[in-house]
Amino acid sequence: MRLENAKTEGIKALRNIKDREFLIAGVALYWGEGSKKSQEVEFCNSDPKMIQFLLLWLQKCFDIP
């Protein structure tokens, strides 16, 4: 029950995330899961929600369709 409540509260908090916080979250995700060796964007994570987040981040923060 405690875990479910924490998850629900976390989802509520993310609905109100500011643009700067969204940018920082994407940078942190890419820093941990992205390639830093080439000039291309590479992302190594098989979680569909993480992939969706990264795609949304690229679109919103860098205007990459």
Side-chain angles (χ1 to χ4, degrees):
M1 187 69 172
R2 244 167 119 183
L3 186 57
E4 281 301 314
N5 289 342
K7 182 178 177 181
T8 301
E9 291 301 313
I11 290 169
K12 283 181 192 176
L14 287 175
R15 288 190 184 126
N16 299 321
I17 194 169
K18 294 180 177 31
D19 288 345
R20 188 172 194 299
E21 294 167 330
F22 184 72
L23 173 66
I24 292 168
V27 167
L29 178 62
Y30 189 73
W31 190 359
E33 300 286 337
S35 173
K36 278 74 71 193
K37 294 182 181 182
S38 71
Q39 296 293 324
E40 299 174 2
V41 174
E42 296 178 10
F43 185 68
C44 185
N45 191 306
S46 61
D47 184 336
K49 291 193 184 275
M50 290 294 107
I51 295 168
Q52 287 176 327
F53 178 88
L54 185 79
L55 292 174
L56 180 62
W57 178 70
L58 290 170
Q59 291 168 359
K60 187 173 179 181
C61 295
F62 301 99
D63 198 28
I64 298 172

